[in-house]
Amino acid sequence: MSRPAHRRPEYHKINKDLFVLTYGALVAQLCKDYEKDEDVNKYLDTMGYGIGTRLIEDFLARSCVRRCHSYSEIADIIAQVAFKMYLGITPSVTCNNASRNEFSLILDKNPLAEFVEELPAGRSSLCYSNLLCGIIRGALEMVHLAADVTFLKDRLKGDSVTEIGITFLKKLDEKKYRRKK
Amino acid sequence: MAVCVAVIAKENYPLYIRSVPTESELQFHYMVHTSLDVVDEKVSAMGKALVDQRELYLGLLYPTEDYKMFRKLHNSYTDVMCNPFYTPGDRIQSRAFDSMVTSMMVQVC
């Protein structure tokens, strides 16, 4: 029996509260395991990287996005397609510099931090949702784009919005791929 | 309108207690403990019936106003519980919980 040509991608949904509480438990445990905020941030980023390198395959399979021709197209797709697909939110995108390789994703609300009122005492430089930075970085690397992704602003730290900065570094050599055709 | 709001842990100590006016806190402590006894009575009287959100309220211990207040309180309490940095058994120090309680307290000028 042959598979139908265009099969609708199946979305297996889970309860959002369960997901948010699981993430919270992860961060709380890391905070117990590591004294320094920098270490917790680093491990969240590393874990996110591992997720991103895998998630990109799922994303490309489900979203059918076309090849991008500019960094700003990529930033738009991350915000409008990827964030929407996985977190149900659509951050707005701004370009931060004239050479058009630094972008910001501005999140009005951050579902991962829904139950966190504020960072606990002694954890003022914790980037609670740093997993997201790792995920974006890992996913971009798998499509041959090197980028630095960090939190520029965070509501949990008292800022008015949550802002993720993506700085695209030099493109990883993909011209080699084209020549193989 | 409330004069005292208290959240009691299962080990019978208060996680959160606030009263207006603030001087009568000890009095309210006693009242809270007495009401715990009434709660125990009611719970054992209910037997093994399934408890849903409404019945957590146990019908008013004394006949007074609406149970929407309890609902609000309970919702704020679950929000506090969901904070990953809050350990059950700690005193409740959430500002959101405080401001919800303030909105419920009697205004004494």
Side-chain angles (χ1 to χ4, degrees):
Chain A
M1 246 186 94
S2 61
R3 245 181 216 180
H6 299 289
R7 203 158 54 104
R8 286 193 72 178
E10 288 165 31
Y11 292 90
H12 301 287
K13 297 197 175 183
I14 63 160
N15 179 285
K16 182 186 93 161
D17 284 350
L18 176 63
F19 177 68
V20 173
L21 287 173
T22 304
Y23 185 73
L26 173 76
V27 179
Q29 188 58 48
L30 280 176
C31 286
K32 286 193 192 128
D33 293 344
Y34 301 105
E35 260 183 49
K36 291 195 200 160
D37 292 345
E38 297 75 44
D39 289 338
V40 179
N41 293 341
K42 183 182 81 171
Y43 285 113
L44 281 173
D45 186 81
T46 309
M47 282 186 223
Y49 179 83
I51 295 175
T53 52
R54 294 161 174 82
L55 199 65
I56 185 69
E57 300 298 333
D58 180 82
F59 174 70
L60 291 174
R62 286 219 206 133
S63 63
C64 311
V65 288
R66 300 221 172 152
R67 192 180 186 77
C68 291
H69 300 284
S70 70
Y71 291 138
S72 89
E73 271 185 57
I74 295 169
D76 285 337
I77 286 182
I78 294 175
Q80 291 157 12
V81 188
F83 265 80
K84 179 82 188 150
M85 190 184 282
Y86 293 111
L87 288 175
I89 54 166
T90 314
S92 50
V93 183
T94 58
C95 182
N96 296 339
N97 71 343
S99 36
R100 303 195 68 76
N101 69 325
E102 284 178 24
F103 295 87
S104 284
L105 302 177
I106 305 194
L107 284 73
D108 214 21
K109 65 167 192 147
N110 179 2
L112 289 180
E114 191 178 315
F115 298 125
V116 184
E117 211 179 282
E118 57 183 1
L119 294 174
R123 287 284 177 194
S124 51
S125 22
L126 176 69
C127 292
Y128 183 84
S129 310
N130 216 36
L131 196 88
L132 295 179
C133 295
I135 294 178
I136 297 172
R137 185 170 65 86
L140 286 173
E141 198 166 298
M142 294 308 276
V143 287
H144 311 288
L145 291 163
D148 267 338
V149 190
T150 52
F151 270 90
L152 299 175
K153 289 192 191 157
D154 196 346
R155 269 231 169 91
L156 290 178
K157 291 181 182 165
D159 299 320
S160 50
V161 287
T162 301
E163 188 175 326
I164 299 178
I166 307 179
T167 304
F168 290 96
L169 309 170
K170 73 163 175 74
K171 220 169 199 167
L172 295 172
D173 213 340
E174 62 157 304
K175 279 195 181 155
K176 284 181 188 163
Y177 278 66
R178 284 218 195 123
R179 273 192 230 129
K180 278 181 185 167
K181 270 194 199 166
Chain B
M1 281 300 130
V3 285
C4 171
V5 173
V7 178
I8 313 292
K10 61 184 197 293
E11 290 88 11
N12 287 345
Y13 64 87
L15 291 174
Y16 184 90
I17 184 157
R18 226 170 98 194
S19 54
V20 165
T22 43
E23 302 88 55
S24 358
E25 203 169 296
L26 189 60
Q27 241 181 310
F28 284 116
H29 265 265
Y30 291 141
M31 247 183 263
V32 163
H33 276 277
T34 329
S35 54
L36 280 179
D37 292 332
V38 184
V39 169
D40 274 337
E41 270 177 38
K42 288 220 169 192
V43 168
S44 49
M46 267 167 58
K48 304 234 172 19
L50 282 167
V51 185
D52 72 337
Q53 171 104 15
R54 262 173 232 253
E55 289 184 53
L56 279 173
Y57 186 54
L58 293 178
L60 294 150
L61 298 176
Y62 282 109
T64 41
E65 43 268 320
D66 57 349
Y67 94 111
K68 278 189 222 161
M69 206 190 297
F70 176 79
R71 226 340 173 41
K72 250 171 57 173
L73 190 67
H74 197 252
N75 285 337
S76 297
Y77 174 72
T78 48
D79 284 342
V80 169
M81 287 295 126
C82 285
N83 186 337
F85 297 115
Y86 170 82
T87 358
D90 283 353
R91 306 223 61 171
I92 295 178
Q93 281 156 336
S94 150
R95 274 175 302 151
F97 191 81
D98 267 340
S99 49
M100 186 273 319
V101 169
T102 315
S103 71
M104 280 167 52
M105 299 289 249
V106 169
Q107 297 304 312
V108 178
C109 42

